[in-house]
Amino acid sequence: MSSGLQRRRVTSSNNNSSSSIAPGSISTSGPSSLSPGPSSPEPSNYHSESYASENGHRIAFDPRDLEDGSERSKQPRLTLMEEVLLMGLKDKQGYLSFWNDNISYALRGCIVLELAFRGRISMQKDPARRRLPLCDRVIEVIDERLTGEVLLDEALKLMKGSEKLSVAAWIDLMSGETWNLMKIGYQLKQVRERLAKGLVDKGILRTEKRNFLLFDMATHPVSDTGAKDEIRRRVINILTTKTVVLNSSPLVPEDVPFRYLRTVAMVCAAYAANVLENPLSNLSHDGRDRAFARVDELLGEYSQWPFASKPGASGAVGINLSQEISDELNANKDKELQIEVVAAALSVFTRLDSIL
């Protein structure tokens, strides 16, 4: 005789006995009782509300979902990691260059940048931190709410459950750059493939199978060229125009915080990932050289804290950029510790071989 509870499915009929449980349909290995057990209490941290719709039905909802929705509406459609990956992908072939060794490390740096821009992490508020180099200052989680982006949430959980580490240490650990066997589990696996699948879900890429001599590989050609063209326009705008104007777009709406600083971080991350040449391919040879010189200036200015940029210091390119970013910082003075993390992550990029 089997142990445990057994439930017999009873078919409905017109008599009253159809809705009752047949004798013997519930049995236990020990003394049994047909009285229902105590119901499980709802978690104490669960809150729900309801309202009456037009047809009289009451609909339950969690108000925290509305809060998360309002926050996500102020975030760009694509994360920094996705934008950098999209710049590196070949449009028709759908894969990255096999010789690019820097993009994996740069994408982990973008995760730190994105978490800082979204207000999830900041520098530890300790006056003694200023004695350390910027990239060696310790960061902490200040908001553990999930972002809805899988990689960001995975990194956030790692940071929340771990000892407090520096910006450089976290980028190294998430990249697998460590000799400490106790922390090898901090490495984020298959970041590029997971980002590509996320872009497929967002309708920007599609998945195909390609044969590479001895094996088949999933590739992700671009299906929404408008998204990549919009990223290319932002890159050229910030690196080549005299006055930088970032118009509102579906990828970066007007109410996204730190729109100008976020774009600078994206361009510097693409430079570190060795994919910046792709969006600049339509420029002349001299134009590309000037654009690379400009991004080198930006990386030097914004990898320090406080930022070293000054209004009008860039000559004939982006004369208003420093003022625009200064206005963003003045409007968010309570987030200076978060922006310090941005500067620290950019300082880590300056150490990559492709830049040196």
Side-chain angles (χ1 to χ4, degrees):
M1 186 174 180
S2 61
S3 60
L5 292 177
Q6 295 178 337
R7 176 175 295 173
R8 177 179 300 169
R9 188 182 299 273
V10 182
T11 58
S12 61
S13 61
N14 293 330
N15 54 31
N16 294 333
S17 62
S18 60
S19 60
S20 61
I21 300 177
S25 61
I26 298 181
S27 62
T28 60
S29 56
S32 61
S33 173
L34 295 178
S35 60
S39 58
S40 301
E42 289 190 357
S44 58
N45 60 349
Y46 178 81
H47 305 282
S48 64
E49 295 181 8
S50 63
Y51 65 92
S53 61
E54 294 180 357
N55 57 8
H57 296 290
R58 299 190 68 83
I59 301 174
F61 67 93
D62 189 340
R64 292 173 298 180
D65 293 339
L66 300 180
E67 295 174 4
D68 294 343
S70 62
E71 182 199 0
R72 291 175 188 174
S73 66
K74 297 181 181 179
Q75 299 300 334
R77 181 184 175 194
L78 301 182
T79 63
L80 289 171
M81 306 89 72
E82 291 170 332
E83 291 178 327
V84 171
L85 181 78
L86 197 56
M87 278 190 273
L89 281 175
K90 302 176 186 293
D91 288 6
K92 296 181 179 179
Q93 292 86 350
Y95 55 85
L96 297 164
S97 171
F98 293 115
W99 315 112
N100 192 335
D101 295 330
N102 292 338
I103 190 168
S104 293
Y105 192 86
L107 288 175
R108 271 73 172 187
C110 288
I111 291 176
V112 174
L113 286 169
E114 190 68 46
L115 287 174
F117 277 124
R118 293 182 180 232
R120 298 304 193 268
I121 60 176
S122 73
M123 284 293 180
Q124 193 172 35
K125 193 172 183 179
D126 181 6
R129 74 181 186 280
R130 296 186 177 90
R131 296 180 297 182
L132 298 173
L134 191 58
C135 61
D136 292 332
R137 298 177 187 177
V138 174
I139 59 177
E140 62 182 354
V141 176
I142 58 174
D143 185 353
E144 56 186 275
R145 290 180 300 163
L146 299 182
T147 65
E149 299 287 344
V150 177
L151 279 171
L152 293 180
D153 293 339
E154 183 177 341
L156 189 64
K157 289 178 181 178
L158 286 175
M159 294 178 180
K160 180 63 179 178
S162 168
E163 59 183 302
K164 292 181 175 63
L165 300 171
S166 67
V167 173
W170 272 116
I171 298 177
D172 286 344
L173 288 176
M174 290 189 294
S175 303
E177 301 284 339
T178 179
W179 293 101
N180 189 343
L181 296 180
M182 300 297 293
K183 294 182 177 179
I184 198 67
Y186 286 65
Q187 181 182 7
L188 299 181
K189 304 292 182 64
Q190 298 180 327
V191 168
R192 285 178 288 183
E193 181 63 23
R194 292 161 69 184
L195 287 173
K197 289 181 179 178
L199 288 170
V200 171
D201 294 337
K202 293 180 180 181
I204 295 174
L205 302 180
R206 65 180 185 275
T207 301
E208 294 180 355
K209 288 283 187 179
R210 290 179 64 93
N211 181 267
F212 290 87
L213 296 179
L214 301 178
F215 59 93
D216 292 334
M217 186 178 77
T219 60
H220 304 282
V222 177
S223 60
D224 180 6
T225 57
K228 192 165 185 178
D229 289 341
E230 198 276 334
I231 294 173
R232 184 182 294 111
R233 285 192 295 269
R234 285 167 57 208
V235 170
I236 293 177
N237 189 353
I238 208 151
L239 294 182
T240 64
T241 58
K242 182 177 181 180
T243 302
V244 178
V245 178
L246 298 179
N247 297 318
S248 178
S249 69
L251 293 187
V252 187
E254 185 69 32
D255 56 352
V256 169
F258 300 107
R259 294 173 67 242
Y260 285 85
L261 182 57
R262 174 182 278 274
T263 303
V264 168
M266 177 196 70
V267 171
C268 292
Y271 183 42
N274 203 18
V275 299
L276 188 59
E277 189 169 354
N278 295 340
L280 301 177
S281 58
N282 291 332
L283 299 180
S284 64
H285 181 74
D286 291 341
R288 285 197 299 271
D289 287 345
R290 288 192 294 269
F292 276 110
R294 175 59 178 151
V295 72
D296 203 37
E297 291 177 3
L298 292 176
L299 187 58
E301 293 171 358
Y302 291 97
S303 60
Q304 305 177 44
W305 184 255
F307 294 142
S309 61
K310 297 179 181 179
S314 57
V317 179
I319 58 176
N320 66 319
L321 181 60
S322 176
Q323 186 60 49
E324 293 287 351
I325 293 178
S326 178
D327 292 342
E328 290 178 340
L329 296 178
N330 290 333
N332 297 274
K333 284 187 173 295
D334 58 328
K335 298 180 180 179
E336 287 188 353
L337 290 175
Q338 301 167 32
I339 303 305
E340 188 175 341
V341 176
V342 172
L346 295 181
S347 72
V348 174
F349 288 159
T350 63
R351 306 185 306 184
L352 289 178
D353 292 340
S354 64
I355 296 176
L356 297 176

